[in-house]
Amino acid sequence: MHTAVVLLTRDLRLNDNPALADACASADRVVPLYVLDPKLADLSPNRTRFLHQCLADLRERLRQRGGDLVVRTGDPVAEAIRVAREAGAETVGVAADVSSYARRREGRLRDECERHRIGLELFPGLAVVDPGAVRPGGGGDSYKVFSPYHRAWSATEWRSEAPTPRRVTLPDGIEVGTLPSIPAGESPHAAEGGETIGKRRLSAWMRHIQGYADAHDDMAADATSRLSPYLRWGCVSPLTVAEAARSHDADAFVRQLCWRDFYYQVANVFPKLSTEPYRPAGDTGWRYDHDALEHWQDGLTGVPIVDAGMRQLRAEGWMHNRARLITAAFLTKHLGVDWRLGVKWFFRWLIDGDVPNNSGNWQWVAGTGNDTRPYRRFNPIRQALRFDAEGVYVRRYVPELKGVEGAAVHQPWRLPDSVRRGLDYPAPLESHRDEAVWLRG
Ligand SMILES: Cc1cc2nc3c(=O)[nH]c(=O)nc-3n(C[C@H](O)[C@H](O)[C@H](O)COP(=O)(O)OP(=O)(O)OC[C@H]3O[C@@H](n4cnc5c(N)ncnc54)[C@H](O)[C@@H]3O)c2cc1C
């Protein structure tokens, strides 16, 4: 009788889960295992809440198939080995990942498996196209620029989706362990985790996907998929999402999934993406102005479009992509604050926060990353007038400005004194009071 352990990490789903599908097809007994790692527990209350919701949903779905989710707390490597030995498993399967933490974990797991004569099997599933599977000609280890990567990625044959297991049979006598409670999180309007909700969101999105190309930058329309937290935790498979989008000819949307894969292949060869500049030449002259940083974090810079984005982040644990670009550019290019401080703040709040996408995008904006135009600037007022033309997005998140109609909300300093004095809203930060500063951007 063959027994397999599947160490789940951020592939919290039954659908198109190559590690789980392989174990269910090749072993008689399967232990789907999740180990709560105390080292990751305090990074973000929002993500912890989402994760615990995912685990509860996964347990329910596994139980419906005769199995269960086995839960342990501790070092994932030590616990995986302990469970494998208890269950008499011959193999441990895990999805390959790219962050330096995940890679160290994988290395230790390999050593321990070898020591205990247990087979370790690595599986795809994190991306549509595996990091490292598409390489530039001439011997490079990864693509540094998106467009050629996108061309190569689009020409690559995708793997087939793995079948969803119909039955999961646990070994006799295994202690399944208690699910962690679901903590409050920090954002009152955060999305709820789990494969069940992720699948529902994906089906609902397919009814709106045709409008994506035209509306994805319209901040008030909120016309993006909001699938990112579900992709981050693997509640939906990136391949399943990409296949569904491709069947709707939604090229603009598929291209965004390619951006996600792009940053995974960058992180795969440059795992220190969160702390070290990808392009060191751009990494100079940062300011460490904590007062400015705090105003930015609190959504009190006095620039409405920036403040709206920062408040959306706190309220929902998520932010519209256009607002991420504007707020990140404001911190790094206007306030001149080190991008690493922005990475950290986003990483605390974002439910979809992960190393490749958060840090990769921050570096792109800061001019230290994969942008072919590293000196570009985003003028927040022009961005606001273009992508929130009626000011609806700003008024949604900055209630102090509710009474200001139309696009006038983007430049409260231009309002007549009598109106401005009645607003409980700050003037722009000292260094940014002169409107000429915006126009240079
Ligand atoms: C400073 C900054 C930080 C970011 N941090 C993260 C992060 O931690 N995690 C994260 O998933 N995304 C991050 N993004 C990318 C992007 O903003 C989000 O993926 C997107 O807003 C999620 O919303 P959505 O699911 O509705 O996206 P949609 O527009 O519906 O796009 C579909 C999917 O494509 C992928 N995608 C879209 N845009 C990008 C992009 N620019 N880079 C990489 N993948 C993309 C995401 O997986 C997204 O779910 C960041 C962007 C910036 C500018």
Side-chain angles (χ1 to χ4, degrees):
M1 185 164 310
H2 175 36
T3 303
V5 169
V6 180
L7 177 61
L8 298 157
T9 54
R10 57 200 199 89
D11 48 344
L12 304 177
R13 62 176 182 269
L14 301 188
N15 173 60
D16 185 41
N17 184 324
L20 189 63
D22 183 85
C24 291
S26 61
D28 311 286
R29 303 274 183 266
V30 175
V31 185
L33 171 67
Y34 189 88
V35 182
L36 291 151
D37 181 348
K39 287 206 172 121
L40 302 180
D42 295 328
L43 293 180
S44 159
N46 278 345
R47 280 201 302 287
T48 301
R49 176 181 163 80
F50 195 88
L51 164 67
H52 292 192
Q53 290 166 334
C54 292
L55 297 178
D57 181 64
L58 193 58
R59 169 165 278 182
E60 187 52 40
R61 290 172 64 74
L62 283 161
R63 285 186 173 172
Q64 285 162 7
R65 285 158 181 80
D68 211 320
L69 180 69
V70 172
V71 181
R72 297 285 185 271
T73 301
D75 170 32
V77 173
E79 292 305 317
I81 298 291
R82 201 191 315 276
V83 168
R85 298 192 67 191
E86 266 168 35
E90 291 87 8
T91 57
V92 172
V94 67
D97 202 339
V98 295
S99 73
S100 47
Y101 190 76
R103 302 250 294 263
R104 278 200 303 277
R105 183 178 59 203
E106 190 186 296
R108 289 194 298 115
L109 185 59
R110 184 181 302 286
D111 293 345
E112 284 304 293
C113 280
E114 243 172 63
R115 203 158 73 81
H116 292 277
R117 295 175 192 282
I118 298 167
L120 175 66
E121 295 176 346
L122 293 180
F123 290 90
L126 185 76
V128 180
V129 174
D130 258 8
V134 180
R135 287 171 197 261
D141 56 7
S142 66
Y143 280 89
K144 294 181 167 54
V145 176
F146 177 72
S147 300
Y149 177 73
H150 181 228
R151 275 194 296 278
W153 184 91
S154 303
T156 305
E157 199 175 323
W158 297 345
R159 70 175 167 81
S160 307
E161 287 183 60
T164 306
R166 288 214 201 101
R167 270 208 81 68
V168 180
T169 311
L170 281 181
D172 292 335
I174 189 136
E175 177 63 50
V176 294
T178 318
L179 281 177
S181 61
I182 297 184
E186 286 188 301
S187 297
H189 304 296
E192 197 181 322
E195 183 177 14
T196 305
I197 297 182
K199 279 176 69 162
R200 221 179 282 148
R201 190 174 285 267
L202 176 59
S203 324
W205 172 241
M206 286 304 126
R207 293 194 289 277
H208 300 282
I209 196 167
Q210 295 303 346
Y212 184 80
D214 292 334
H216 71 277
D217 265 332
D218 180 342
M219 299 169 83
D222 201 2
T224 66
S225 69
R226 289 195 181 233
L227 281 168
S228 55
Y230 302 92
L231 286 162
R232 157 67 177 86
W233 290 100
C235 308
V236 291
S237 141
L239 179 63
T240 304
V241 176
E243 289 284 17
R246 204 155 67 166
S247 72
H248 284 73
D249 291 327
D251 292 347
F253 182 78
V254 173
R255 192 171 189 276
Q256 292 312 110
L257 294 170
C258 180
W259 267 110
R260 182 175 180 273
D261 280 14
F262 175 73
Y263 285 125
Y264 278 113
Q265 58 100 47
V266 169
N268 193 39
V269 298
F270 191 74
K272 292 185 175 158
L273 202 56
S274 297
T275 49
E276 290 183 13
Y278 188 76
R279 195 183 72 87
D283 199 38
T284 54
W286 300 119
R287 292 167 67 232
Y288 296 89
D289 177 343
H290 283 281
D291 185 51
L293 178 67
E294 267 175 38
H295 278 80
W296 177 82
Q297 291 172 336
D298 293 341
L300 291 171
T301 65
V303 180
I305 195 73
V306 173
D307 293 342
M310 296 309 292
R311 294 190 200 186
Q312 180 177 30
L313 177 64
R314 282 195 188 222
E316 300 174 15
W318 185 88
M319 202 199 287
H320 192 282
N321 179 59
R322 183 53 52 181
R324 295 189 204 205
L325 289 166
I326 295 170
T327 54
F330 186 79
L331 185 74
T332 54
K333 298 265 170 107
H334 284 277
L335 298 179
V337 171
D338 192 330
W339 55 273
R340 281 158 277 239
L341 298 171
V343 165
K344 243 176 139 174
W345 187 252
F346 270 31
F347 202 54
R348 165 175 162 188
W349 289 89
L350 283 175
I351 308 172
D352 64 28
D354 72 355
V355 170
N357 287 303
N358 189 31
S359 308
N361 273 291
W362 267 97
Q363 293 224 34
W364 186 94
V365 174
T368 59
N370 299 83
D371 191 359
T372 47
R373 288 167 52 207
Y375 301 105
R376 90 170 78 213
R377 286 171 75 89
F378 280 80
N379 178 321
I381 307 307
R382 283 204 202 113
Q383 292 274 317
L385 293 171
R386 183 161 169 212
F387 298 115
D388 183 31
E390 296 303 320
V392 174
Y393 176 80
V394 162
R395 279 187 293 277
R396 190 176 298 155
Y397 294 103
V398 186
E400 303 95 292
L401 297 174
K402 267 206 155 62
V404 183
E405 285 180 12
V409 79
H410 292 309
Q411 290 153 295
W413 50 88
R414 283 193 171 181
L415 295 169
D417 279 356
S418 55
V419 179
R420 213 177 51 222
R421 270 193 241 106
L423 297 174
D424 183 20
Y425 184 70
L429 294 172
E430 193 80 49
S431 54
H432 280 70
R433 293 227 170 119
D434 179 359
E435 212 180 7
V437 171
W438 308 124
L439 301 176
R440 279 208 304 273

